[in-house]
Each structure stands twice: as structure tokens, then as C-alpha cells.
């Protein structure tokens, strides 16, 4: 059992979000759904909470209404192995109303903030070569979707 589970507050569209999120990552599935009863705070039969896994990590969605909104102050960071994975996830998450942002951040059509980041970026930023780190930083600060080849060029070019 995972001790800490991220809980995402939604105002409707829970089934749509579950379908999208679980389709994007291997080892992902819905593990449980609770529905509002007649006397509940939501419409009877509508999803109240849903438990799901993304890449084996547990999450919960609560369909709690308009009281709280998502914020970039909390985002889901995805470590991508290569540009193909960055492209696939980026495109899927900004589709149908999502919004790109800077430095690999985006907001999906449900308002959830994501960071779609190649693992290679973290390796470059952890380098002992401070000049290379500065070059990479200057390049990625100007990018929306991160471009691994562009980051690699900045890291190598003195």
C-alpha cells in the first residue's frame, strides 16, 4: 500500500479524466469507484471518488464541486525517457483545451498542471560544469515543450 496518495479535486468530468490519464501510462488502471447516493452532495449515480493508478502510483479523484480549483502550485512531474515520450504526453495532455506553458509545464483540459520533463534535463542540470548548466538553463527557460536535442546542443556547445 502506498502511504501517501495524491488527491485531485474535480468539478465533474471525472470519467473523461480517468480515461485520458490511464490511457497515457503503462501500468495504469482504475482501481475503485464510489458514486453519490440519493442523499449525497452530488447527483445520484455520479462518481463521488475514484481511485486509480498511473504507472503504478496511486491517485484519488474526488468529484467535490466548484469549491476548489487546480493550481500550478501543485503539478504532476513526469520523467520522460526520450523526445518521443515528451511529444506523446505533451500532445495528449494539451489536446482538446489544454494550455502549454514554459519550461515543460502545461495545464490539461481539466485544469491539472503537469511538468513533462526529459530525464536528461535533470542530468544536465546536475552537472559539475557550471557553464554548461547555465547554457542549458538559458535555453530551457525559453522553451514551452522541452526539446531534448536543443538542450543537448546547449549543454555541449561552449
Amino acid at each position: 500500500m502506498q502511504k501517501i496518495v495524491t488527491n485531485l479535486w474535480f468539478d465533474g468530468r471525472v470519467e473523461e479524466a480517468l480515461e485520458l490519464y490511464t490511457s497515457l501510462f503503462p501500468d495504469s488502471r482504475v482501481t475503485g469507484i464510489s458514486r453519490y447516493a440519493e442523499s449525497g452532495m452530488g447527483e445520484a449515480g455520479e462518481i463521488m471518488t475514484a481511485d486509480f493508478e498511473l504507472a503504478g502510483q496511486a491517485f484519488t479523484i474526488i468529484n467535490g464541486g466548484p469549491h476548489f480549483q487546480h493550481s500550478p502550485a501543485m503539478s504532476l512531474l513526469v520523467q520522460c525517457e526520450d523526445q518521443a515520450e515528451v511529444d506523446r504526453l505533451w500532445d495528449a495532455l494539451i489536446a482538446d483545451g489544454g494550455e502549454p506553458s514554459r519550461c515543460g509545464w502545461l495545464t490539461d483540459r481539466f485544469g491539472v498542471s503537469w511538468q513533462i520533463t526529459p530525464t536528461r534535463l535533470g542530468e544536465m542540470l546536475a552537472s559539475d560544469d557550471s557553464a554548461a548548466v547555465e547554457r542549458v538553463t538559458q535555453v530551457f527557460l525559453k522553451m514551452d515543450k522541452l526539446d531534448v536535442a536543443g538542450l543537448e546542443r546547449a549543454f555541449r556547445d561552449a
Side-chain angles (χ1 to χ4, degrees):
M1 178 177 93
Q2 186 174 305
K3 191 164 192 82
I4 299 173
V5 176
T6 300
N7 186 349
L8 301 171
W9 185 284
F10 271 62
D11 180 18
R13 300 176 67 192
V14 171
E15 291 178 36
E16 183 183 347
L18 289 169
E19 184 177 314
L20 174 63
Y21 296 163
T22 58
S23 74
L24 293 177
F25 303 96
D27 194 21
S28 298
R29 63 194 177 106
V30 175
T31 58
I33 292 178
S34 299
R35 297 189 180 274
Y36 283 109
E38 291 292 330
S39 61
M41 294 176 62
E43 188 174 321
E46 188 174 68
I47 291 177
M48 179 174 59
T49 62
D51 298 319
F52 63 108
E53 294 176 358
L54 298 180
Q57 182 172 334
F59 290 83
T60 296
I61 285 180
I62 183 169
N63 189 15
H67 311 294
F68 302 107
Q69 301 298 311
H70 298 287
S71 162
M74 196 298 295
S75 62
L76 301 175
L77 170 64
V78 182
Q79 302 276 351
C80 299
E81 293 302 315
D82 55 27
Q83 188 68 50
E85 187 177 17
V86 168
D87 293 345
R88 180 181 67 80
L89 293 173
W90 184 272
D91 293 345
L93 288 166
I94 64 167
D96 301 320
E99 293 287 331
S101 190
R102 288 284 184 193
C103 306
W105 290 57
L106 63 85
T107 302
D108 70 22
R109 64 185 176 239
F110 310 107
V112 175
S113 294
W114 296 77
Q115 296 178 60
I116 307 302
T117 307
T119 56
R120 183 68 181 117
L121 176 60
E123 295 165 1
M124 288 186 259
L125 294 176
S127 171
D128 292 335
D129 183 344
S130 61
V133 170
E134 179 62 25
R135 289 190 305 272
V136 168
T137 301
Q138 290 307 310
V139 167
F140 93 78
L141 287 175
K142 296 174 186 163
M143 294 178 175
D144 288 347
K145 178 172 68 171
L146 298 180
D147 171 28
V148 177
L151 296 168
E152 289 286 1
R153 277 191 302 280
F155 187 74
R156 285 190 317 266
D157 296 343

